[in-house]
Structures are given as structure tokens and as C-alpha cells.
Amino acid sequence: QQQAVNLRVQIDTVHKIENIEGVFQIICSGHPSTTQDSLVHKGVLCSYRTKHVLLTSGTFENPRKLHVPGEEDHSNIFYTIDYYNDYEGKTIIVVGGGNSALETAIYHGERNRIILVVRKDHFADSVTPKNKTDVETMVAEGKIDIWWQSKIVCVTGGEATINHDGTEQRQSFDYMFINAGYEKPLEFLKSAGIEIEESLGGGKPKFNSNFETNVPGLFLAGALTGADSVIESANQAFGVVKFIAS
């Protein structure tokens, strides 16, 4: 909050984005601005008017679940990397093929047995060279075992049934980390006029090489585009701002 004050950044909660004849009106609540581009509505809501909008809302409050039997409310299944517990001598299943999954496997792989369950026969294209190299090194050292073309079928207590290359196998585990991405706020995006295309996980917003959606002037960056690292997200946002300025 103090940094926002120092940088003169206005922080509000966005309720709706409207496009009126090429000008966006961002309906918010919080701290109404006193600038010409803001209007106060009934003393509660305020709105900002602009010709360009960059959505970087992220998706990290809604981790994508597998929706398999036994997953819900399991005490040893987590959806983010756990830096607070230094496990040792445990069997840990990590689900996912992106940077988050690889970083979880790397972090816990030094003192535990890691089974990395990847749906495809390769890692995501966004995986960084360092993460890929580190995992390959730990595989060669016997610290990580990769199960390609695999998916969790169900969980029963401390045992997971995994479809591994077409064959179901049972694997006991102590902890499971599901790093399968995050659910995007599709209804909010649709309400802004953004087209959604079907994909794994319910859909994803359409955008071009400049991260501009089908709504002219409305851009995306970060997790909404599928970026799964802070560096990638920041580079996208920088690119959008540079494009708008040009």
C-alpha cells in the first residue's frame, strides 16, 4: 500500500469492463479518483475511462484440479510448491509438465523420491532451459522418475492409480503436488467481450502476437495468456506497453 502511494498508483477492485464507442469504462469500487477520467456513482462505485486496457489479473487464486475420485479435501494433496516443509525420505508425486511442476520436483528432489507425472510426451514449450536441464540432471542421478503420457485416475488414501502410457498402475505416495495450471476467470473475460476458444481446462481467451484480444485496445498478459513464470509475465506486459506507446 505504501509503495502504491509513493508511486501514485491507484488500487481498486474491478467489477466490469465496458466498451462504449471505442472507449473503455472500468467500473470499480474502492477509492474514487478525483481525475477527469473518473466518475463517482452513488458514492460507492467509480469508473475510469481509457482507450487501452491491459488485463494482468492472474489466475493464482483458482488452481486447476484434476477432478478425480479421492482428490477433493485430501490432506496431503497440494496445488502450490511448499517452501515451509522440508520433507525427507518421502515419496512425492508431482503432476504437471510446466515450470511450476518442474520447480516443485527440483526443490523436493534432493531428499525425496520424486515421481513426475506428465500428460504429454514432452514438457511444456514455456519450460525454461535451466529447469529442463536441472530435471534431466536429477533424472540421471536417480532422484526424479518421469512418467510420460500419464494421468492420475483416482486417489485412495495414500495410493494413486495412474494411467501410465495406457496401463493403469498403483503408486503409493506420501504427498502429491498438482501443478496443472490455474482456472481462468472466463465469465469475467466473456463479459468484457473477449472471445474464448475451447482448450483443456475449459477454454482460453483469444489474442494475437501483440497479446491484443478480439476487442481492439484490450490486451492480456501473464497467467491469462498461459504464462507460468514472473519473468515471462513481466516481459509480456512490457511488450504490450511498448506496443501501445508506438
Side-chain angles (χ1 to χ4, degrees):
Q1 292 290 344
Q2 187 57 49
Q3 288 182 340
V5 172
N6 294 339
L7 296 172
R8 301 182 68 181
V9 173
Q10 188 72 46
I11 299 178
D12 283 319
T13 299
V14 176
H15 292 274
K16 190 176 182 181
I17 298 176
E18 297 177 340
N19 188 342
I20 303 175
E21 297 182 351
V23 177
F24 294 101
Q25 183 164 282
I26 317 300
I27 309 300
C28 304
S29 64
H31 304 284
S33 173
T34 57
T35 66
Q36 282 187 328
D37 292 328
S38 177
L39 299 173
V40 177
H41 296 276
K42 299 180 181 179
V44 177
L45 296 179
C46 66
S47 68
Y48 301 90
R49 292 173 177 171
T50 178
K51 291 185 178 180
H52 301 96
V53 174
L54 172 56
L55 287 177
T56 59
S57 61
T59 60
F60 296 105
E61 292 183 357
N62 301 296
R64 181 174 295 145
K65 297 183 178 181
L66 302 180
H67 302 294
V68 298
E71 173 190 7
E72 193 71 21
D73 298 324
H74 195 294
S75 60
N76 286 354
I77 294 180
F78 308 100
Y79 299 90
T80 58
I81 190 169
D82 186 0
Y83 290 110
Y84 300 100
N85 291 298
D86 291 325
Y87 306 117
E88 185 170 357
K90 305 297 184 181
T91 297
I92 299 176
I93 295 177
V94 180
V95 181
N99 283 306
S100 296
L102 269 63
E103 288 166 8
T104 298
I106 294 166
Y107 183 78
H108 291 297
E110 288 298 334
R111 292 186 290 180
N112 302 278
R113 180 195 177 199
I114 304 296
I115 298 173
L116 183 57
V117 177
V118 184
R119 183 173 57 88
K120 298 181 179 180
D121 61 358
H122 60 274
F123 294 130
D125 294 338
S126 58
V127 165
T128 65
K130 182 179 186 306
N131 282 341
K132 185 177 180 181
T133 299
D134 287 350
V135 166
E136 290 174 345
T137 298
M138 296 179 76
V139 168
E141 295 172 346
K143 297 175 180 178
I144 296 177
D145 184 14
I146 302 178
W147 290 23
W148 301 107
Q149 295 181 300
S150 302
K151 62 180 181 179
I152 305 295
V153 176
C154 66
V155 178
T156 305
E159 185 177 77
T161 299
I162 304 173
N163 186 314
H164 177 42
D165 199 18
T167 303
E168 289 194 359
Q169 300 184 28
R170 294 181 178 180
Q171 174 62 54
S172 60
F173 70 95
D174 296 295
Y175 300 97
M176 181 184 296
F177 290 88
I178 299 173
N179 300 132
Y182 296 82
E183 302 286 357
K184 298 178 177 63
L186 298 181
E187 292 306 315
F188 174 76
L189 298 178
K190 289 178 182 178
S191 71
I194 298 174
E195 293 182 1
I196 306 298
E197 60 183 357
E198 293 185 5
S199 70
L200 182 69
K204 62 180 181 180
K206 292 183 178 181
F207 54 89
N208 62 22
S209 59
N210 294 314
F211 301 103
E212 186 173 20
T213 68
N214 60 287
V215 181
L218 183 51
F219 297 81
L220 306 175
L224 292 176
T225 71
D228 63 353
S229 72
V230 174
I231 294 176
E232 185 181 3
S233 300
N235 285 337
Q236 288 180 353
F238 178 79
V240 170
V241 173
K242 188 176 180 180
F243 175 78
I244 292 173
S246 64

